[in-house]
Amino acid sequence: MAPRGFPYADLQSFIAALEEAGELRRVTVPVDPTLEISEIVTRTVRAGGPALLFERPTRGDMPVVINLFGTEKRMAMALGVDRLDEVGERISAIAKPELPVGWSGIREGIGKVLQLKSMPPKKVKTAPCQEVVLRGDEVDLNRLPGLQVWPGDGGIFHNFGLTHTKHPETGKRNLGLYRLQQHSKNTLGMHWQIHKDSTAHHAVAERLGQRLPVAVAIGCDPVVTYAASAPLPADIDEYLFAGFLQGERIEMVDCVSVPLQVPAEAQIVLEGYLEPGERLPEGPFGDHTGYYTPVEPFPVLHIETMTMRKKPIYHSIITSKPPQEDHGLGKATERIFLPLAKILIPDIVDYDMPASGVFHNCLIVSIRKRYPKHAQKVMSAIWGAHLLSLVKLIVVVDEDVDVHDYNEVAFRAFGNVDYARDLLLTEGPVDHLDHSSYQQFWGGKAGVDATRKLPTEGYTRGWPEEMTMAPEVVSLVDKRWKEYGL
């Protein structure tokens, strides 16, 4: 059953639903967006605490809301479900196995879902996000309570700006989520990484010698916010996906000064452009890897227009080594995209992306093993699958292993593996932020085959039988448990 108030009209509606459910606390005393908010939120996240609304930040003109998605419960509330698996089950029910296997299948699978549940964006003429319009010299990013999260950060960052671009030749829209370093009152550093779709848009614009229009929306409703983080294929519109998740069309409005559209219910919108060839040093930044990413040159967004609500709420997120707020976002992606991963790689029974592996460094996969070296085949398929190509460590277990029980997975990985034979080493692309690879963007990878070994794989000793208690004894002890006085 959908939570009360879903679909949420805007960020304020979601905040009200969280507060009613006891999932949000207000902080009424003055708090500094430089480091102090970060320490408060980090302690709150690690205690499993609520979302926080800081009503009186000491910088900026508006409140700050944060930790909206820090638990699976709040992430489920954001998407209007009781369990994150429910969204994946909806997709699975529509994208049936008659679809072709492989990458074309996953595209067709998403396309079929969106076609059958078509919720294209709805254009509106007026919007709350344009109640206040600031142009030219009126633009001042210091009105926003942007955060400095860690002492070594290069300055103030805006960490939850939903970035809109269009392909200069095809007109295809992209919605992405990238960190934004504040360089001045009207310029931002655009930290979009090498594997991101907006990077491709910018490359085309530079090749053509054109400016690239950009619009950044801050404080959207939670479904749109999640959709910006989802690893969709480049030809799938994030707003169609958001409409499917929400069950309603997303209202969009034309920007004031750039040829783009943004969510009408956003809190703040920054409109501007990138000059071809222009770069400025960006960083350092304390990222979700737990380390500072180094200073690198990135494009510069020149903001011409800043629009907002009359009473906006600024949304941000803290980045650090796990656990952190992005746990909820990562788990949502894991569960929502499982049926689509099965279209791409039908061998998969289930998978888990451990938060301690920042979701893309490690993947635990269970399979229904049918032939020799089946596990290695699945590893190779994963390393060839869109953004799963960035996974560094894959652990493959049998279908009877619960991939979400890390103790059980460790037992298999430690005890079921001959590391001279069952370890696959290779090289390939890694995340832009990976500091461990000796070369940026590519490095070593490992696959661990923790399945039971077959004679046809060269294991001739006869795999031992695993110990399990007789069912009748389990039933007997269940019935008598209270008698034991334990």
Side-chain angles (χ1 to χ4, degrees):
M1 184 175 68
R4 184 174 176 180
F6 186 85
Y8 310 107
D10 51 21
L11 179 59
Q12 282 85 348
S13 299
F14 184 46
I15 288 171
L18 291 176
E19 193 163 27
E20 183 178 345
E23 288 288 332
L24 180 138
R25 295 288 296 275
R26 294 173 180 264
V27 179
T28 58
V29 298
V31 179
D32 193 342
T34 299
L35 303 181
E36 188 177 10
I37 283 181
S38 173
E39 179 64 15
I40 294 168
V41 173
T42 298
R43 294 188 190 192
T44 302
V45 169
R46 292 177 182 172
L52 299 174
L53 181 64
F54 294 94
E55 296 185 336
R56 299 169 63 193
T58 57
R59 274 194 291 101
D61 299 343
M62 60 199 71
V64 178
V65 70
I66 204 161
N67 196 28
L68 292 178
F69 310 117
T71 65
E72 292 185 42
K73 178 181 178 181
R74 285 201 295 281
M75 192 68 239
M77 285 185 65
L79 299 179
V81 294
D82 293 323
R83 300 176 297 109
L84 293 175
D85 281 295
E86 289 179 36
V87 182
E89 289 163 3
R90 283 172 56 200
I91 292 173
S92 183
I94 297 171
K96 287 298 185 182
E98 67 267 11
L99 290 165
V101 171
W103 188 239
S104 63
I106 198 169
R107 283 202 310 268
E108 289 187 34
I110 299 175
K112 183 179 178 183
V113 168
L114 300 182
Q115 182 181 15
L116 293 179
K117 298 289 184 179
S118 183
M119 296 289 176
K122 176 184 177 182
K123 182 179 175 180
V124 296
K125 293 182 179 180
T126 59
C129 70
Q130 294 174 349
E131 290 172 342
V132 177
V133 179
L134 305 173
R135 305 172 189 264
D137 290 341
E138 296 177 317
V139 172
D140 187 359
L141 293 172
N142 295 311
R143 298 187 64 169
L144 309 181
L147 306 183
Q148 181 179 345
V149 175
W150 296 103
D153 283 355
I156 292 171
F157 286 81
H158 304 279
N159 294 335
F160 232 126
L162 277 58
T163 301
H164 301 72
T165 59
K166 276 186 180 179
H167 192 289
E169 294 177 325
T170 68
K172 176 63 182 175
R173 172 171 51 206
N174 182 68
L175 171 64
L177 182 60
Y178 318 107
R179 76 181 192 226
L180 308 165
Q181 181 174 1
Q182 185 169 320
H183 290 319
S184 71
K185 62 173 284 192
N186 62 354
T187 57
L188 293 170
M190 305 295 296
H191 188 275
W192 45 36
Q193 300 159 25
I194 191 171
H195 306 106
K196 305 299 185 180
D197 294 326
S198 288
T199 307
H201 291 185
H202 186 223
V204 173
E206 289 197 311
R207 175 172 55 81
L208 298 172
Q210 299 176 358
R211 287 178 168 183
L212 183 72
V214 177
V216 177
I218 299 173
C220 298
D221 78 73
V223 170
V224 168
T225 299
Y226 168 71
S229 75
L232 294 169
D235 54 353
I236 298 296
D237 189 316
E238 287 84 2
Y239 283 104
L240 272 177
F241 184 59
F244 164 74
L245 293 175
Q246 188 157 279
E248 285 188 354
R249 299 169 68 184
I250 307 300
E251 292 190 345
M252 308 283 288
V253 67
D254 287 339
C255 287
V256 172
S257 58
V258 294
L260 297 166
Q261 291 184 339
V262 290
E265 300 293 339
Q267 306 294 305
I268 303 137
V269 178
L270 310 175
E271 302 177 10
Y273 61 88
L274 307 180
E275 287 283 6
E278 184 182 17
R279 303 288 190 278
L280 281 180
E282 194 271 357
F285 179 75
D287 222 309
H288 63 275
T289 60
Y291 296 88
Y292 290 102
T293 53
V295 175
E296 293 183 87
F298 276 93
V300 181
L301 175 61
H302 296 264
I303 301 167
E304 294 184 316
T305 307
M306 181 175 179
T307 74
M308 63 181 74
R309 290 171 173 248
K310 290 180 180 178
K311 293 184 178 180
I313 299 174
Y314 179 84
H315 179 210
S316 194
I317 190 171
I318 300 299
T319 52
S320 78
K321 67 181 180 182
Q324 198 44 270
E325 181 186 346
D326 57 4
H327 170 83
L329 294 165
K331 279 297 169 185
T333 292
E334 176 195 290
R335 304 326 300 165
I336 290 171
F337 283 83
L338 175 61
L340 299 170
K342 288 181 176 181
I343 293 172
L344 186 62
I345 310 169
D347 316 75
I348 292 176
V349 173
D350 198 0
Y351 64 32
D352 184 278
M353 301 173 179
S356 52
V358 293
F359 294 103
H360 59 256
N361 281 336
C362 179
L363 188 70
I364 302 165
V365 183
S366 60
I367 66 170
R368 188 171 298 111
K369 187 170 178 177
R370 296 186 289 112
Y371 47 80
K373 299 298 181 182
H374 194 169
Q376 286 78 355
K377 180 257 191 184
V378 170
M379 296 172 195
S380 297
I382 290 169
W383 281 322
H386 197 37
L387 290 181
L388 289 177
S389 64
L390 303 180
V391 173
K392 294 202 295 184
L393 174 65
I394 300 172
V395 180
V396 183
V397 295
D398 289 299
E399 63 177 312
D400 59 345
V401 177
D402 180 358
V403 294
H404 311 295
D405 183 340
Y406 297 155
N407 285 331
E408 177 70 7
V409 172
F411 174 74
R412 309 289 174 159
F414 299 160
N416 277 11
V417 179
D418 178 341
Y419 282 93
R421 293 175 176 268
D422 302 330
L423 179 65
L424 177 62
L425 297 177
T426 188
E427 292 179 331
V430 297
D431 186 71
H432 189 133
L433 304 178
D434 193 318
H435 61 278
S436 67
S437 58
Y438 282 54
Q439 300 291 328
Q440 193 175 31
F441 308 131
W442 66 274
K445 298 166 179 281
V448 178
D449 178 3
T451 63
R452 300 175 184 88
K453 304 308 178 298
L454 305 173
T456 47
E457 292 177 301
Y459 187 88
T460 58
R461 298 173 56 195
W463 196 261
E465 181 183 356
E466 188 173 345
M467 299 176 299
T468 58
M469 181 51 68
E472 60 271 19
V473 175
V474 173
S475 179
L476 172 66
V477 171
D478 284 344
K479 292 177 181 177
R480 298 196 59 197
W481 188 254
K482 290 184 179 179
E483 296 180 40
Y484 305 143
L486 300 177

